[in-house]
Amino acid sequence: MAEPSEDPVALAAALARGERRALARAITLVESERPEDGPLAEALLAELLPRTGQSLRLGVSGPPGAGKSTLIDALARHAIARGERVAVLAIDPSSPVGGGSILGDKTRMSRLAAEPASFVRPSPSRGVPGGVARRTHESVLLCEAAGYSVVIVETLGTGQGEHAVASSVDCLLLVLIAGAGDELQGMKRGVLELADLVVVNKADGANRAAAEQAASELAAALGLAQRAPSAPERVVRTVSARDESGIEPLWSAIQAHVSGERASGALARRRAEGEERALEAEVERALRERLAAPELVAERRRLGALVLERKLTPREAARKLVERLG
Amino acid sequence: MAEPSEDPVALAAALARGERRALARAITLVESERPEDGPLAEALLAELLPRTGQSLRLGVSGPPGAGKSTLIDALARHAIARGERVAVLAIDPSSPVGGGSILGDKTRMSRLAAEPASFVRPSPSRGVPGGVARRTHESVLLCEAAGYSVVIVETLGTGQGEHAVASSVDCLLLVLIAGAGDELQGMKRGVLELADLVVVNKADGANRAAAEQAASELAAALGLAQRAPSAPERVVRTVSARDESGIEPLWSAIQAHVSGERASGALARRRAEGEERALEAEVERALRERLAAPELVAERRRLGALVLERKLTPREAARKLVERLG
């Protein structure tokens, strides 16, 4: 919970100096649903906005059990070894929708978290359908302002939030495992459509052949479901996050994807779409907040009762309510 | 298109006298998206509201090709023969989503339409996902005010509008044909869940045994997917709209369902839910209309450009826009 006395200017300065605790407090502030935190969050972001926009934004999506967090741990440490600073906005494994195992939770991204050039932030709301999009955009901005050159957003592959996440990252990586046909049944098909890169994880030990097989099947399926003719080919790879094999080629593929998109102008268009989508979501949110004001809730109750008594149509009641907004 | 000079009081009077043309014009008025028609539609409905609420409201849903319109034609003529006056809010078969065959369209509900105690109104928007709910509620009210004792709302079984329709009718009838397993794959499963009564149509000729088989399978499936313990059993019947067999028992089952729901108080609760849902939809609509005002569209464009230039966050832009509502 953000302290009521949080000073946005001081917090922004501490965050810009790269203080991890300041970044953590700032994310808590922008995620807060308390009305009194809204103006503070706005002031904080306004202060930091000029420092944002420079990172590689990577989305990592996939069903529970695909090994997303182990892969993020390996991939992020690889990037750090090459000079990057990496922030991860992760699903909180303790939340009921996180789907992490108890054993897995204990060691979840623990090696990454021990790196000085890393920042790992689990958010319960990131596991909630719709909760991803809402404030992730702002958390990404805060990580950028704190000097992270790579920001990874982990999401569940349920299809609920991916559309929003896909437009707020530069590259969406979908993580599957062998038997992905079944996984894809459970996931919305649209997630596969949205993915820029697909990896079949756990290509290790006895599982290796099955993973290779799954990867060729997926590659064929993706070839059939090609997006716009100009869209870059969506590569399918196998990796083993456990053995840390395939991590280097994957990181190169991610960088190549983003460079290609930047050169073609697609990256700028995608980010503009993301901003437009974020604005849309914020307008809806602001309207809902406005309608939740006590006097409007009371007015709505009064008008709703008149509708039930057949003294007003819903249309007329709605007009009267919206007139009261002013 | 409603005439600009439409006088709501005169129109209401003509409609209350049972003039079909007045009812048709009134529905056009409430369906109109022209901002200047809004106040006229409101005035018309306010005038007629005391005359509404007395009909049996029946929803008829099902995939294209299930024979919805032939069944409605037979069922409505049966009800008229028993003294009812029946209005049908139908899907416009000429609209691309209507799914009617060219041959079928020519004869669509033609026998019903020839009955003096009938009113058949096809609406293109009723075939559009989301278009059903929006103004159907008001069209039902207008039909009631015009003295129709049964109002039938036809919808596609795509699951998009059924939730709204289910709460704005007293009984939702789902029309399927043999091979319904495949049909149900294409439809949202939720439609089956929402149905109060299910019929397997085209139980005639060589198709009869397959229809009976499909009906018993559906009955078993529905038994497993029973709703609240207190909910009435959802009957599965076979009918042949073509041969007009099974129509009398179906009409009795519909009347029994509605009587039971009225006696238990469930009908009143359902209608209250429908009003609440309609109010919700109208509030959203009114807000969108408000935001579509020219000065707000311009302001939004200006703020959106500032977001793209990284001079404002989406949150701040949204707050500024919503403040301008007043």
Side-chain angles (χ1 to χ4, degrees):
Chain A
M1 193 62 66
E3 297 297 316
S5 56
E6 200 76 87
D7 169 5
V9 177
L11 185 58
L15 186 151
R17 285 194 302 271
E19 290 179 19
R20 282 205 221 187
R21 261 190 60 90
L23 176 54
R25 287 206 334 265
I27 292 178
T28 299
L29 185 63
V30 302
E31 284 182 343
S32 167
E33 298 289 330
R34 300 197 311 186
E36 62 270 35
D37 286 337
L40 300 175
E42 252 190 48
L44 175 74
L45 288 160
E47 196 76 21
L48 293 170
L49 206 48
R51 300 177 54 91
T52 63
Q54 302 310 315
S55 82
L56 188 163
R57 301 171 180 173
L58 173 68
V60 177
S61 185
K68 287 187 296 299
S69 58
T70 316
L71 181 61
I72 290 171
D73 186 283
L75 195 62
R77 284 185 292 109
H78 180 87
I80 287 170
R82 265 141 204 84
E84 307 286 353
R85 299 189 68 219
V86 182
V88 181
L89 302 170
I91 299 165
D92 182 352
S94 67
S95 97
V97 289
S101 66
I102 290 175
L103 183 65
D105 295 353
K106 283 192 184 157
T107 57
R108 209 167 191 275
M109 300 187 205
S110 56
R111 295 173 69 188
L112 175 61
E115 293 277 351
S118 81
F119 174 82
V120 180
R121 166 68 177 221
S123 278
S125 67
R126 206 155 282 117
V128 177
V132 187
R134 202 184 288 164
R135 292 304 188 210
T136 297
H137 184 77
E138 294 182 346
S139 297
V140 169
L141 296 179
L142 293 174
C143 292
E144 291 177 341
Y148 290 93
S149 56
V150 176
V151 182
I152 301 180
V153 181
E154 181 189 17
T155 67
L156 287 173
T158 52
Q160 300 270 13
E162 269 69 23
H163 222 91
V165 169
S167 68
S168 65
V169 296
D170 304 325
C171 178
L172 182 63
L173 173 68
L174 178 61
V175 186
L176 298 171
I177 46 177
D182 298 340
E183 301 287 354
L184 286 175
Q185 290 289 332
M187 298 164 60
K188 289 273 165 71
R189 294 288 301 259
V191 180
L192 191 59
E193 173 96 357
L194 289 170
D196 298 294
L197 293 168
V198 181
V199 289
V200 180
N201 193 11
K202 306 194 182 175
D204 39 44
N207 206 30
R208 185 166 191 110
E212 298 290 349
Q213 174 68 19
S216 12
E217 283 168 18
L218 274 165
L222 282 178
L224 291 174
Q226 187 56 24
R227 295 181 289 187
S230 63
E233 211 185 322
R234 289 175 293 161
V235 189
V236 179
R237 302 182 167 275
T238 56
V239 296
S240 167
R242 187 193 75 182
D243 298 353
E244 304 197 10
S245 74
I247 300 299
E248 199 284 317
L250 175 59
W251 178 239
S252 299
I254 291 165
Q255 290 185 304
H257 174 87
V258 175
S259 303
E261 296 272 273
R262 184 173 286 122
S264 72
L267 188 73
R269 282 197 301 278
R270 184 168 176 158
R271 287 195 170 187
E273 269 172 42
E275 297 284 0
E276 178 53 39
R277 191 181 285 266
L279 176 55
E280 190 72 46
E282 291 291 349
V283 169
E284 277 180 27
R285 185 192 180 83
L287 287 172
R288 273 198 310 276
E289 258 173 33
R290 186 75 190 82
L291 287 172
E295 75 277 14
L296 287 170
V297 170
E299 177 67 357
R300 170 161 184 159
R301 198 170 296 128
R302 192 182 72 80
L303 292 166
L306 290 173
V307 167
L308 288 185
E309 291 165 25
R310 322 186 66 71
K311 288 182 180 148
L312 274 186
T313 57
R315 183 203 293 243
E316 203 174 348
R319 178 179 56 74
K320 287 178 191 289
L321 184 67
V322 170
E323 274 171 8
R324 284 288 300 271
L325 282 179
Chain B
M1 191 62 67
E3 297 298 317
S5 55
E6 200 76 89
D7 169 6
V9 176
L11 185 59
L15 186 150
R17 285 193 303 272
E19 291 180 19
R20 280 206 224 188
R21 261 188 62 90
L23 176 54
R25 288 206 333 266
I27 292 177
T28 299
L29 186 63
V30 301
E31 284 182 343
S32 166
E33 299 288 332
R34 299 197 311 185
E36 62 269 36
D37 286 337
L40 300 175
E42 251 189 49
L44 175 75
L45 288 160
E47 195 77 20
L48 293 170
L49 207 48
R51 299 177 54 90
T52 64
Q54 303 310 315
S55 82
L56 188 163
R57 302 170 180 175
L58 173 68
V60 177
S61 184
K68 288 187 296 297
S69 57
T70 316
L71 181 61
I72 290 170
D73 186 283
L75 195 62
R77 285 186 291 108
H78 180 87
I80 288 171
R82 266 140 205 83
E84 307 286 354
R85 299 188 69 220
V86 182
V88 181
L89 302 170
I91 299 164
D92 182 352
S94 67
S95 96
V97 290
S101 66
I102 290 174
L103 183 66
D105 294 353
K106 282 192 185 158
T107 57
R108 209 167 192 275
M109 300 187 203
S110 56
R111 297 172 69 188
L112 174 61
E115 294 277 352
S118 81
F119 174 82
V120 179
R121 165 68 177 222
S123 279
S125 68
R126 206 154 284 119
V128 177
V132 187
R134 204 184 287 165
R135 292 301 189 212
T136 298
H137 184 77
E138 294 182 348
S139 297
V140 169
L141 296 179
L142 293 175
C143 292
E144 291 177 342
Y148 290 93
S149 57
V150 176
V151 182
I152 300 180
V153 180
E154 181 189 17
T155 67
L156 287 173
T158 53
Q160 299 271 12
E162 270 68 23
H163 222 90
V165 168
S167 68
S168 64
V169 297
D170 304 326
C171 178
L172 182 64
L173 172 68
L174 178 62
V175 186
L176 298 171
I177 48 177
D182 298 339
E183 302 287 356
L184 286 175
Q185 290 289 331
M187 299 165 56
K188 289 274 166 70
R189 294 287 302 258
V191 180
L192 191 58
E193 173 95 358
L194 289 170
D196 298 295
L197 294 168
V198 181
V199 289
V200 180
N201 193 11
K202 306 194 182 176
D204 40 43
N207 206 30
R208 186 168 189 107
E212 297 289 351
Q213 174 68 18
S216 13
E217 284 168 19
L218 274 165
L222 282 178
L224 292 174
Q226 187 55 25
R227 294 181 289 188
S230 63
E233 210 184 325
R234 290 175 293 163
V235 188
V236 179
R237 301 181 168 275
T238 56
V239 295
S240 167
R242 188 194 74 181
D243 298 353
E244 305 197 9
S245 75
I247 300 299
E248 198 285 319
L250 175 59
W251 178 240
S252 299
I254 291 164
Q255 289 185 305
H257 174 87
V258 175
S259 304
E261 297 272 273
R262 184 173 286 122
S264 72
L267 188 74
R269 280 196 301 277
R270 184 169 176 159
R271 286 194 170 189
E273 268 171 43
E275 298 284 359
E276 178 53 38
R277 192 181 285 266
L279 176 55
E280 190 72 45
E282 290 291 350
V283 169
E284 276 179 28
R285 184 191 181 83
L287 287 173
R288 272 199 310 276
E289 258 172 33
R290 187 76 191 81
L291 287 172
E295 74 277 14
L296 287 171
V297 170
E299 178 67 357
R300 170 160 183 161
R301 199 170 296 128
R302 191 182 72 80
L303 292 165
L306 290 173
V307 167
L308 287 184
E309 292 165 24
R310 321 187 68 71
K311 287 181 180 148
L312 274 186
T313 58
R315 184 204 292 244
E316 202 174 349
R319 178 178 56 73
K320 286 176 191 290
L321 184 67
V322 170
E323 273 171 8
R324 285 286 301 272
L325 282 179

